[in-house]
Amino acid sequence: MITVEVDNRIWDVLSDFSLGFKRFELNKALALPTSSALQFYMIMSGQERPFRLSIAELKSWLGIPAEKYRKDGKDRIDHLEERVLRPVKRMLDETCPYTFTYEKLRENPNNCKSPVVGFELMPVYQEKFRDQELERVHLTAKVSLGFISPQVTNYMKQQMGFDRNSLSPHKELLIKAVKLLPDVLGTLEDIQGRRRKKSGEVMGIGWVIQAIRGEVEKAEKDSKKSAKKDE
């Protein structure tokens, strides 16, 4: 038995990520230096519409004590901006694909001197910071199985026990296999022949995927060696 302690901030990130927030880029989030920046990035990821938070809601969401940034019973908006909003915005602006702008919400919207009661947060997408590996996986996920090779997918379904659901997560690997292996069907037949152990046990589809990955990695290494020789 192994016991692992995880910081609450990291646990929250992992929990949210496991719930299916695919737009949320974990590596960007964990690189942020403060919990406030992390919180802002989590809520801005994939957000398209502005939303409003009162000062009390903003503090509660960020874990800021209600009495902090207050003086004589009044919220110090300048302190909240200077020590929370602006630094967080700067962090996200510099490294993240999702950041924000904001506007102050006043008790009387028509009076610029009216007390500030909250903020409207507007999400901003920065494509230049988009994780290229995540983008590649995202685009691959959109590729139809039929695009890979009907012969390959049909063989894996009819002879190896796969179905659409078990093939879909491995589209990227299969695209590489079709591209790199000179006789991909011959390779699949060879793998199928090796599935049965001497004991008669047939290895599962997970074993098949690992075997295909091994052949692809070997082909990639051979390709690199060949390129070096040509140089």
Side-chain angles (χ1 to χ4, degrees):
M1 180 177 292
I2 300 175
T3 301
V4 178
E5 293 186 4
V6 180
D7 185 278
N8 285 333
R9 293 176 300 165
I10 296 177
W11 180 254
D12 288 341
V13 171
L14 295 175
S15 297
D16 283 342
F17 190 66
S18 70
L19 292 175
F21 297 141
K22 303 300 183 186
R23 295 179 299 270
F24 180 63
E25 296 178 8
L26 191 62
N27 59 332
K28 297 286 187 180
L30 296 181
L32 292 169
T34 69
S35 60
S36 294
L38 179 61
Q39 289 285 80
F40 264 90
Y41 185 57
M42 287 171 66
I43 200 171
M44 290 300 166
S45 293
Q47 192 71 245
E48 296 180 354
R49 297 181 179 180
F51 57 96
R52 297 183 172 192
L53 290 174
S54 68
I55 294 173
E57 289 171 335
L58 179 66
K59 286 184 175 181
S60 175
W61 172 52
L62 295 176
I64 298 173
E67 293 305 313
K68 195 169 184 178
Y69 306 127
R70 288 175 66 88
K71 186 176 181 180
D72 299 329
K74 296 182 180 180
D75 288 298
R76 290 295 305 268
I77 302 303
D78 55 338
H79 287 184
L80 193 57
E81 284 188 283
E82 180 184 352
R83 300 173 189 178
V84 179
L85 292 175
R86 287 174 187 159
V88 165
K89 176 174 165 35
R90 184 170 58 253
M91 293 173 199
L92 270 60
D93 285 349
E94 291 174 352
T95 63
C96 295
Y98 298 99
T99 184
F100 66 99
T101 59
Y102 68 91
E103 291 183 0
K104 299 172 186 175
L105 299 175
R106 298 185 181 276
E107 192 172 75
N108 181 355
N110 298 320
N111 184 351
C112 63
K113 294 184 179 181
S114 178
V116 175
V117 294
F119 297 93
E120 182 174 46
L121 305 175
M122 285 80 74
V124 175
Y125 177 58
Q126 302 188 112
E127 186 174 3
K128 64 181 179 179
F129 291 125
R130 174 71 173 176
D131 187 289
Q132 295 303 312
E133 179 67 13
L134 186 63
E135 182 68 12
R136 181 179 58 78
V137 172
H138 175 69
L139 292 175
T140 301
K142 292 184 177 181
V143 174
S144 167
L145 283 174
F147 178 80
I148 296 169
S149 166
Q151 292 83 3
V152 168
T153 54
N154 287 340
Y155 184 87
M156 294 183 74
K157 287 178 181 179
Q158 295 169 11
Q159 303 296 326
M160 307 181 96
F162 285 80
D163 58 23
R164 172 170 285 274
N165 291 334
S166 54
L167 282 173
S168 289
H170 307 292
K171 284 182 285 190
E172 182 181 3
L173 175 63
L174 296 179
I175 289 172
K176 281 186 177 181
V178 171
K179 181 180 178 181
L180 294 172
L181 302 178
D183 181 12
V184 64
L185 285 176
T187 300
L188 291 177
E189 290 175 353
D190 178 67
I191 290 172
Q192 179 68 358
R194 291 188 276 123
R195 285 183 78 179
R196 189 177 297 277
K197 290 184 173 181
K198 291 182 179 179
S199 62
E201 178 186 358
V202 177
M203 303 301 290
I205 60 176
W207 181 90
V208 172
I209 292 298
Q210 290 304 318
I212 295 173
R213 181 170 286 111
E215 295 293 336
V216 168
E217 290 174 353
K218 181 177 180 296
E220 287 177 327
K221 289 179 181 178
D222 290 343
S223 177
K224 289 178 181 178
K225 287 180 181 178
S226 177
K228 286 183 178 180
K229 286 182 180 179
D230 292 339
E231 290 176 359

